[in-house]
Amino acid sequence: MTTELTKGARFNLSQTYPHVQQLQIEVGWSATKAGYDIDGSVFMLGANGLIPAEEYFVFYNNPRSPDRALQRLEDSREGRQSFMLDLSQISPVITELVFVVTIDEGVEKKQSFGHIDQAFMAISNPQTQEELARYALTEAFTSETALEFGRIYQKGGQWRFHALGQGYDSGLQGFLDQYHQEGATPPAPPAPESTRRAKAVELEKKLEKEAPLLFDLVKKADISLQKANLTNHQAQVALCLDVSGSMYSLYHSGKIQRLAEKILALGCRFDDDGAIKIFLFAGNSQDMGEMTVENFHNFIGQAQNQYRGSGGTNYSPALQAIRNTYFPDARGGNRRSPLKANVPVYVMFVTDGRPFDRDPSEQQLQWSSYEPIFWQFMAIGKSSKDVKSKRGGILGFLSGGSQFEFLENLDDLEGRYIDNADFFSVEDPEAIADQDLYDLLMTEYPNWLKTARDRGLLP
């Protein structure tokens, strides 16, 4: 079943379809006015944001890239342009592919995308004809003569898609001016750390300008990361939220949305793509896609409305779904040998009740202890154990009842390769200062990182 994407959404192709290397990418449109000459093209970019050579601009007069990874197909259908892409053949100097559609001589003819509708970009598996992802552009373009539909880019050794839908009024020439530099030569493969820092700086500037609330939270997260010696640390971040009936008031009041924004800010520091994965669970689990710096406003409320699941509070479907997402080879199964990955996964798991499926949940935690994934459990309500922040008297004690016995006993859970989880509880997610929350999130994680490296889960 295809994944429907909205503007700003990101889709991890390598994680979702790890065995698919050949892709067919189709861009389409419908002209409501005659006389329009519209064409699809692709810019294959290096780490410097430029095509390494003119041959890496694939269009009607250059239908195949020099590495033979990308081919522009002859398409007899009106309003369609298709490309075949072999991910395994892409040159190591290429880190990104930009898919654009332009109106030939649109500026000169005073034509624009104001007379174009039903624009889309679709990614399919050509061997099975299965459509994997689709992005339908819904914006109203008026003066634009060129559209950047989306980008397929590499990050952490994985290929991802970013739905953009960005319009420009400078036609094809604008893209040529942006992505082509006279005399450019193929760059060497990028140094991962320096490239990541550059992207992090770019993301920070974007946050400061477009999302000042997130920018302020990122700065607070920075302080906690500095204390934990994790300033330049890289990790993938996921947020798993209990959506059972007892959590309704927390969603309705906006408290879960604001908590998610705080975790997104942490994700902006751990990763440079400005996105975190969101999972909702009750009786079962559902992957809600990525919450990003572009779509975070009311993302949680919309996700809650889209959740389709049964009642109850079961942890194991959510634990398994997250493992399936990041380590699909195991499919949530019985792992008894260490799995090594370059980048760890940090999961914030939020609930207000004990699991109905204690044994399967324990089993998932045991199996996942052989994987580079850390579970930070946060319970909302009263706990039978006092939990004190490392900030001492600033946060004080969080105390209460006994519905979190399962989480409280995580430190004593046997059958694990390493201790891969931590737990704290709060009566109200907004009763803790942002700075104190970030300190709590970093209480056990640095020690887990050290152990994971020592035991061969991380380099």
Side-chain angles (χ1 to χ4, degrees):
M1 183 173 65
T2 187
T3 298
E4 299 283 351
L5 302 173
T6 57
K7 183 173 182 176
R10 291 178 173 86
F11 182 71
N12 193 317
L13 290 161
S14 296
Q15 275 188 359
T16 310
Y17 300 100
H19 303 300
V20 177
Q21 293 295 308
Q22 284 75 41
L23 301 172
Q24 180 169 345
I25 297 99
E26 183 180 58
V27 290
W29 59 88
S30 176
T32 60
K33 192 174 183 180
Y36 276 60
D37 185 5
I38 303 174
D39 194 40
S41 309
V42 182
F43 291 86
M44 302 177 71
L45 310 181
N48 58 359
L50 302 172
I51 54 174
E54 290 185 359
E55 292 78 12
Y56 282 98
F57 170 43
V58 176
F59 67 118
Y60 65 89
N61 205 32
N62 178 46
R64 188 186 291 272
S65 62
D67 57 8
R68 310 191 72 78
L70 181 69
Q71 180 181 0
R72 182 183 186 272
L73 304 179
E74 291 294 334
D75 205 326
S76 60
R77 294 171 299 169
E78 185 73 19
R80 296 287 188 276
Q81 182 58 63
S82 297
F83 301 85
M84 293 297 293
L85 175 63
D86 188 339
L87 298 174
S88 66
Q89 295 295 317
I90 295 179
S91 166
V93 304
I94 299 299
T95 61
E96 191 170 15
L97 294 88
V98 181
F99 292 80
V100 304
V101 172
T102 57
I103 302 174
D104 186 36
E105 297 184 342
V107 176
E108 295 79 2
K109 296 177 181 178
K110 300 188 184 304
Q111 296 175 337
S112 74
F113 278 101
H115 294 285
I116 303 299
D117 59 13
Q118 299 179 30
F120 71 91
M121 180 171 175
I123 302 175
S124 303
N125 180 344
Q127 296 179 342
T128 64
Q129 301 301 310
E130 176 190 7
E131 188 173 273
L132 310 180
R134 171 176 286 260
Y135 168 43
L137 286 71
T138 58
E139 294 76 21
F141 299 101
T142 55
S143 63
E144 293 84 352
T145 56
L147 290 181
E148 185 174 347
F149 276 43
R151 300 183 175 217
I152 292 177
Y153 65 99
Q154 189 178 53
K155 177 176 172 49
Q158 297 179 326
W159 289 100
R160 310 173 186 219
F161 173 64
H162 187 189
L164 287 168
Q166 181 65 49
Y168 301 90
D169 58 9
S170 52
L172 179 61
Q173 188 60 49
F175 290 125
L176 292 171
D177 292 342
Q178 180 178 356
Y179 298 131
H180 175 250
Q181 179 176 301
E182 202 68 37
T185 56
E193 185 59 30
S194 61
T195 301
R196 196 173 78 84
R197 286 175 182 168
K199 289 185 177 180
V201 171
E202 182 180 346
L203 175 60
E204 186 170 307
K205 290 179 180 178
K206 180 177 182 178
L207 289 173
E208 186 174 15
K209 181 180 179 181
E210 301 178 11
L213 170 65
L214 288 180
F215 179 75
D216 179 64
L217 291 171
V218 165
K219 291 302 180 185
K220 292 176 180 177
D222 266 340
I223 297 173
S224 297
L225 295 179
Q226 288 170 11
K227 290 188 219 174
N229 293 319
L230 294 177
T231 301
N232 295 316
H233 177 64
Q234 184 178 11
Q236 299 184 81
V237 177
L239 175 61
C240 188
L241 297 168
D242 186 343
V243 74
S244 57
S246 56
M247 292 279 290
Y248 175 80
S249 63
L250 293 167
Y251 283 90
H252 184 69
S253 66
K255 292 182 179 181
I256 299 300
Q257 168 68 29
R258 290 188 286 275
L259 175 63
E261 292 169 2
K262 296 172 187 178
I263 305 305
L264 175 58
L266 178 65
C268 288
R269 263 300 169 252
F270 275 172
D271 211 339
D272 56 39
D273 64 357
I276 60 174
K277 288 282 290 181
I278 302 292
F279 297 84
L280 299 185
F281 76 95
N284 60 353
S285 175
Q286 188 171 338
D287 181 345
M288 308 309 300
E290 290 188 328
M291 179 177 178
T292 72
V293 296
E294 293 92 356
N295 70 3
F296 74 92
H297 298 287
N298 197 35
F299 182 95
I300 298 302
Q302 294 173 0
Q304 183 194 18
N305 291 334
Q306 295 169 7
Y307 174 77
R308 297 292 179 266
S310 57
T313 305
N314 294 328
Y315 291 1
S316 65
L319 297 170
Q320 179 173 341
I322 293 172
R323 292 182 61 215
N324 289 349
T325 296
Y326 293 102
F327 309 110
D329 65 301
R331 304 310 300 169
N334 182 353
R335 190 188 292 280
R336 292 297 181 185
S337 60
L339 173 69
K340 188 174 184 178
N342 290 327
V343 178
V345 181
Y346 183 102
V347 181
M348 178 73 169
F349 194 107
V350 181
T351 182
D352 74 338
R354 64 171 67 89
F356 293 174
D357 57 341
R358 178 172 183 140
D359 289 344
S361 297
E362 287 185 352
Q363 196 169 61
Q364 287 293 327
L365 286 169
Q366 289 164 346
W367 291 339
S368 70
S369 70
Y370 292 88
E371 300 162 347
I373 181 168
F374 178 81
W375 306 92
Q376 177 60 69
F377 290 92
M378 171 178 153
I380 300 177
K382 293 185 177 182
S383 168
S384 62
K385 292 184 179 180
D386 289 340
V387 182
K388 190 174 183 181
S389 165
K390 286 190 173 182
R391 289 176 63 83
I394 295 178
L395 180 60
F397 289 91
L398 310 168
S399 60
S402 61
Q403 73 268 38
F404 305 125
E405 180 186 1
F406 174 85
L407 298 175
E408 292 164 352
N409 294 331
L410 283 177
D411 285 342
D412 301 321
L413 181 61
E414 299 179 350
R416 290 182 294 172
Y417 184 61
I418 61 174
D419 183 354
N420 60 342
D422 187 31
F423 159 74
F424 65 89
S425 68
V426 296
E427 291 191 44
D428 185 329
E430 295 195 342
I432 301 180
D434 298 337
Q435 194 64 70
D436 294 319
L437 174 65
Y438 288 125
D439 280 356
L440 278 173
L441 298 181
M442 292 299 109
T443 300
E444 293 293 334
Y445 183 61
N447 290 334
W448 174 85
L449 283 172
K450 182 179 183 304
T451 304
R453 294 187 183 104
D454 291 344
R455 301 297 298 274
L457 300 181
L458 294 169

